[in-house]
Amino acid sequence: MKVILASDHGGVNLRKEIGSLLEEMHIEFEDMGCDCEESVDYPDYGIPAAERVASGEFDKGILICGTGIGMSISANKVKGIRAALVHDVFSAKATREHNDSNMITMGERVIGAGLAREIVKTWLETDFQAGRHANRIGKITEYETNETL
Ligand code: RB5
């Protein structure tokens, strides 16, 4: 599995913590930054990271900003991305099982590092259940690939 990791200035500390977790889990990943102390714009990091998941270069992506919201909105503009904003372990499991989410977003100003680690670990280790859920994902894919829109 290959994972892409990125944040804006509001998520630098948590991003580094998640990078350490990925190392501990022996998961291959690339950290796209930012290496910033100043304010940057989350779409400048979230959208390129999402494009690299949508292209197949990476299997999954983890995006962090202050709230996780801006990164979620940005990533979900990229066709093929199902980015879930998650701040609890139950949702981390459910969004893999039901939504086949390929990106997760979190807010450094919302949760602590310990919970974020549990969320990411659960999310990476949970498989999509397919079945009736695949039909629902298919409807989203059909909508976003409809060229008349
Ligand atoms: C940056 O101040 C903050 O707006 C950003 O990190 C994120 O929370 C936006 O959704």
Side-chain angles (χ1 to χ4, degrees):
M1 186 197 304
K2 282 179 70 181
V3 173
I4 189 86
L5 179 61
S7 78
D8 71 356
H9 59 285
V12 171
N13 298 318
L14 188 54
R15 192 191 82 235
K16 289 184 176 164
E17 187 72 39
I18 298 304
S20 300
L21 172 67
L22 296 175
E23 280 172 6
E24 288 163 26
M25 293 177 75
H26 305 290
I27 289 175
E28 190 182 343
F29 73 99
E30 182 179 321
D31 186 342
M32 284 182 73
C34 67
D35 290 317
C36 45
E37 306 223 334
E38 293 151 23
S39 183
V40 297
D41 299 330
Y42 54 81
D44 293 342
Y45 293 86
I47 292 173
E51 286 175 337
R52 295 179 76 183
V53 174
S55 73
E57 183 184 357
F58 290 87
D59 303 295
K60 289 192 173 86
I62 301 167
L63 299 175
I64 299 161
C65 60
T67 60
I69 298 168
M71 283 297 198
S72 169
I73 293 170
S74 302
N76 278 312
K77 296 295 178 192
V78 177
K79 283 184 181 178
I81 293 302
R82 294 178 298 282
L85 170 61
V86 173
H87 288 131
D88 66 276
V89 175
F90 174 84
S91 300
K93 185 166 183 282
T95 192
R96 283 291 310 128
E97 289 178 342
H98 293 200
N99 314 123
D100 197 19
S101 52
N102 48 14
M103 299 194 85
I104 192 171
T105 76
M106 297 181 293
E108 182 181 316
R109 297 172 190 160
V110 182
I111 54 170
L115 177 55
R117 279 174 158 262
E118 286 305 309
I119 287 169
V120 168
K121 200 165 181 301
T122 300
W123 185 71
L124 289 172
E125 292 177 345
T126 304
D127 291 328
F128 180 43
Q129 282 182 345
R132 68 185 188 281
H133 304 296
N135 190 42
R136 294 163 185 166
I137 302 297
K139 290 185 177 186
I140 297 169
T141 304
E142 190 183 333
Y143 178 83
E144 73 180 355
T145 53
N146 184 343
E147 289 179 6
T148 62
L149 291 173

